[in-house]
Amino acid sequence: MSRRLTLRPLRIAVLTGVAAGALLVPATAAFATDPTPTPGATDLTPEGKEALAKKKAEDARQSKDAEARKAKELEDKKAEAVKATSGKDYPRGGVAAGEAPAQDDNNTGALIGSATGALLLAGAGTYVLRRRTAGRRDG
């Protein structure tokens, strides 16, 4: 038996082990070494938690008030625009005026290109493998 045939299974085993290690080593970092959590520097006391909750509530109330003011201003601007254009029968534009959408969100071109590329790559690989096996048979 030739030396090449005896080394092939060893080479396959080494490559498989390297690939498995490359996949498993990052996963081992997810396991904790100590199952009991320790309190961190960012843990709050009950008083700190209450203050944080009050601050969050105040921030939420302020943001709701700001959104309400913006919505009111927008409604006022729309009402003024309608008053200014009253008597004119112009459509508002875009799709409301009967205009077709600018672009079709259809990705068939990308899918066809990807499938064609995959088929070409597979065909080239098959051609190379057939030439190699034919070359080995011939000599």
Side-chain angles (χ1 to χ4, degrees):
M1 194 174 345
S2 72
R3 181 177 173 174
R4 183 179 177 120
L5 291 177
T6 58
L7 291 178
R8 184 176 291 166
L10 179 63
R11 191 176 349 153
I12 291 172
V14 168
L15 290 175
T16 304
V18 168
L23 291 174
L24 294 177
V25 168
T28 59
F31 296 108
T33 56
D34 188 17
T36 58
T38 58
T42 59
D43 291 345
L44 298 175
T45 62
E47 296 84 17
K49 289 180 182 179
E50 289 176 13
L52 183 63
K54 287 179 183 178
K55 181 165 178 30
K56 284 184 180 179
E58 180 67 24
D59 290 343
R61 187 183 59 78
Q62 287 177 355
S63 66
K64 284 183 182 179
D65 290 343
E67 288 177 15
R69 282 192 303 265
K70 286 181 183 179
K72 179 69 173 159
E73 290 174 7
L74 185 62
E75 286 179 17
D76 291 342
K77 287 181 183 179
K78 284 183 180 180
E80 289 176 13
V82 168
K83 287 180 184 177
T85 60
S86 63
K88 298 178 183 177
D89 292 332
Y90 296 121
R92 291 187 170 212
V95 177
E99 185 178 319
Q103 179 180 342
D104 188 18
D105 291 335
N106 191 340
N107 292 328
T108 55
L111 290 174
I112 290 171
S114 297
T116 304
L119 287 175
L120 286 173
L121 186 61
T126 304
Y127 179 73
V128 168
L129 288 176
R130 284 190 174 184
R131 289 202 59 189
R132 281 188 177 179
T133 55
R136 287 184 187 163
R137 286 185 197 149
D138 291 341

